[in-house]
Amino acid sequence: MGKVWKFGDNLNTDEIIPGRYNITIDPQELAAHVFCEIKPEFTQGTQSGDVVVGGQNFGCGSSREHAPIAIKGAGIRCVIAASYARIFFRNAINIGLPILECPQAAAEIREGDEVQVNLSSGVITDITTGRSYQAQPLPDFVLKIAEAGGIVAFLQEHDIDELMTAAGGAV
Amino acid sequence: MGTLVEEIFSRKLGRPVRAGEIVMVDVDYIMSHDNTTPLAIKAFRQIGKPIHDKERIVLFFDHAYPAPNIAAAENHRMILDFVREQGLPHFHREGVCHQVMIEEGYVRPGAIIIGGDSHSNTYGALGAFGAGLGSTEIGVAWVTGKCWFRIPESIRVELRGETQPGVSAKDVMLHIAGLLGMDGATYKSVEFAGEYIRGLSVDERIIFPNMSTEVGAKCGLIEADEVTTAYLENEAGLQGPFACLKPLDAQYERVIEVDVSQLGPAVACHPRVENVKPIEEVEGLEIHEVYIGTCTNARYGDIETAANILRGKRVHAYTRVIVTPASERIYQRALRAGLIETLMDAGCVVTQPGCGACIGRHGGILAAGERALTTMNRNFIGRMGSPEAEIYLASPATAAVSALTGRITDPRKA
Ligand code: SF4
């Protein structure tokens, strides 16, 4: 169970982590500045397991991998949004930040609600309001990358083909 | 059956795939350059496994080459040490990565190519899937030879008619960028099609997938046809058969139709590519630099257009005019045709091939308060130097005509 931090549409990577803090790729250092301009209370108030909820086109703007690293570094368990910008979507998965797409949940869940998320089934439950939502479940391979802590960490221990089987296909 | 991007992935995977599916595929080539290779090397070292297939890795020095400062020089040195350590066979310094990828025959119709550069979409001009990725993924692909993709939904842009004199493919693409907006195709594949596209040379076609990046697209695609295969055989040294895939009973998210005969020269105004205006609205605006270069518009035809306009004339006394051919091959061809001499006689600075002034590292950096008119694809704040400089985007003809007057000038009035 985690508390919700809510954001609007078209949240860009500069709002997630301003360019001037991108000199490091250390998750903890980045997490110290995540959302610092648009939600300064975020870094102090988050607890491990909290959830970020955004709107349309979450993570647009530059291709910086620092943005999902910073969110994950802050202990956020997953992001729920109506839709994602292309490179953020990839980067999040590759660095092991689970992301769910669910326009209805993104619209209805409010800041401060307590939510429960089942990443493999895609079921999101808002404990505060009692409503449930069904997001597109995450493919197995995304869960595997997330469990390992990102694609680089995954490859240190496994072969890429273990993901391939999960992706359901021949080459 | 499906859109062009669905067809490319279906062929690669040997089973039908649809938009929305996530797949893992073998990639044909993995491209990166002096800006994006260092972090890929870092990811590679962290993974700690050997390179999967050296033949598929293509590395470039083009963004800041030859090195304009010590940091760039040390960066090149580090990458070169890596190339030697790993014995990587495909290492290039002959111009902008995307142009050289095409010239050297790395791009085949139906291929899947990833690049550590946002304009890797360019390869779509030859019916290949090209997409830009972050550096970590480049390092991952070196080790695995593979990459995962979510198959994108598609937008089809149907172009018909013929352009009027003074209007070029760049003007048409700027118009489309204005129409779609900078996030109009986010995550999508944009297919450029229609009689107008079929009538263009490969060099002109390249502009469309190249600038699909500017509307947020994952890839931009043009069906390979006889024009493509002739180019591949004659210019890129490749031999067929080629996988000239076509969309079949495709479902498009959106179809946009444009009659190009209705369009005039266009200019994208600072600092957003979607801020596109007919040239009449910005005519007369003073410019301090004209830059004809980049992966968008520095091919032979572009240089020829500029040389024909500038032949026997002098550029404006207070405007610096820089021409950076996209590749050595283009440079040499222009040299043999006397175009370089024509440009220099007119007062242009002709620089070594590469990205040149495009990213504000060297070869034409802007001072605060200066305004540039360029053939580039982006006009973000600070891209060419000072954040207080302005960048306007236009066709090579508009750029060359404006070089003579020192003001934005309509090429139809030249
Ligand atoms: S010419 Fe400009 S846009 Fe093209 S690859 Fe180089 S820096 Fe990027």
Side-chain angles (χ1 to χ4, degrees), chain A:
Chain A
M1 212 154 68
K3 195 169 80 148
V4 166
W5 297 84
K6 180 106 190 234
F7 298 86
D9 289 343
N10 296 309
L11 186 78
N12 70 51
T13 50
D14 270 284
E15 291 170 322
I16 297 173
I17 180 88
R20 61 181 181 283
Y21 297 118
N22 289 337
I23 34 181
T24 172
I25 49 166
D26 179 76
Q28 257 54 57
E29 274 177 55
L30 288 170
H33 303 289
V34 65
F35 300 120
C36 63
E37 273 161 16
I38 56 167
K39 221 181 259 283
E41 67 279 18
F42 185 88
T43 43
Q44 292 305 318
T46 38
Q47 296 204 331
S48 177
D50 281 0
V51 170
V52 161
V53 177
Q56 298 280 353
N57 201 22
F58 189 96
C60 59
S62 86
S63 67
R64 62 184 67 138
E65 277 172 336
H66 307 79
I69 294 176
I71 295 176
K72 189 177 169 218
I76 294 300
R77 174 144 188 268
C78 78
V79 178
I80 301 165
S83 68
Y84 295 91
R86 165 176 125 63
I87 299 185
F88 183 90
F89 179 86
R90 296 195 73 87
N91 286 347
I93 290 173
N94 284 326
I95 65 109
L97 174 69
I99 53 175
L100 290 173
E101 216 173 270
C102 185
Q104 205 193 345
E108 294 182 4
I109 296 176
R110 297 162 313 189
E111 173 105 359
D113 284 2
E114 291 284 336
V115 293
Q116 203 153 31
V117 181
N118 183 326
L119 293 173
S120 39
S121 69
V123 174
I124 303 163
T125 312
D126 187 327
I127 308 281
T128 313
T129 62
R131 282 194 206 123
S132 281
Y133 307 92
Q134 177 68 57
Q136 196 71 9
L138 289 173
D140 272 3
F141 94 97
V142 172
L143 290 171
K144 283 191 183 175
I145 296 175
E147 270 163 32
I151 187 98
V152 167
F154 180 90
L155 288 170
Q156 286 169 342
E157 303 292 330
H158 305 269
D159 194 272
I160 190 81
D161 289 327
E162 294 172 40
L163 286 183
M164 251 176 62
T165 347
V171 172

Side-chain angles (χ1 to χ4, degrees), chain B residues 62-63 96-98 117 119 294-296 354-355 358-359 377 383:
Chain B
D62 62 351
H63 274 58
V96 183
C97 53
H98 307 306
D117 186 275
H119 289 100
T294 80
C295 53
T296 309
C355 297
C358 187
I359 45 162
N377 47 36
R383 175 132 181 124

Side-chain angles (χ1 to χ4, degrees), chain B residues 167-295:
Chain B
V167 182
S168 70
K170 177 62 164 290
D171 296 298
V172 175
M173 184 58 217
L174 287 177
H175 181 80
I176 295 168
L179 213 63
L180 281 170
M182 286 165 73
D183 61 358
T186 298
Y187 204 74
K188 307 288 187 302
S189 166
V190 183
E191 278 178 30
F192 299 93
E195 55 173 279
Y196 170 71
I197 290 284
R198 283 195 294 277
L200 295 178
S201 67
V202 166
D203 282 3
E204 293 166 305
R205 290 179 183 186
I206 289 174
I207 295 165
F208 295 88
N210 175 273
M211 284 195 68
S212 68
T213 304
E214 273 52 59
V215 292
K218 172 172 201 157
C219 64
L221 296 171
I222 294 176
E223 265 177 61
D225 59 10
E226 349 41 86
V227 175
T228 321
T229 53
Y231 178 94
L232 292 170
E233 283 168 358
N234 302 330
E235 306 285 334
L238 290 177
Q239 282 184 349
F242 298 108
C244 296
L245 303 172
K246 302 195 181 324
L248 211 67
D249 291 331
Q251 295 277 328
Y252 293 99
E253 194 181 270
R254 199 175 158 193
V255 178
I256 295 166
E257 291 182 34
V258 179
D259 178 357
V260 301
S261 65
Q262 303 298 311
L263 307 177
V267 175
C269 302
H270 187 75
R272 296 173 73 85
V273 182
E274 65 192 3
N275 202 357
V276 175
K277 295 191 176 148
I279 194 154
E280 292 86 348
E281 290 182 28
V282 285
E283 247 185 307
L285 212 57
E286 191 182 1
I287 47 177
H288 309 91
E289 176 170 309
V290 169
Y291 176 54
I292 298 174
T294 80
C295 53

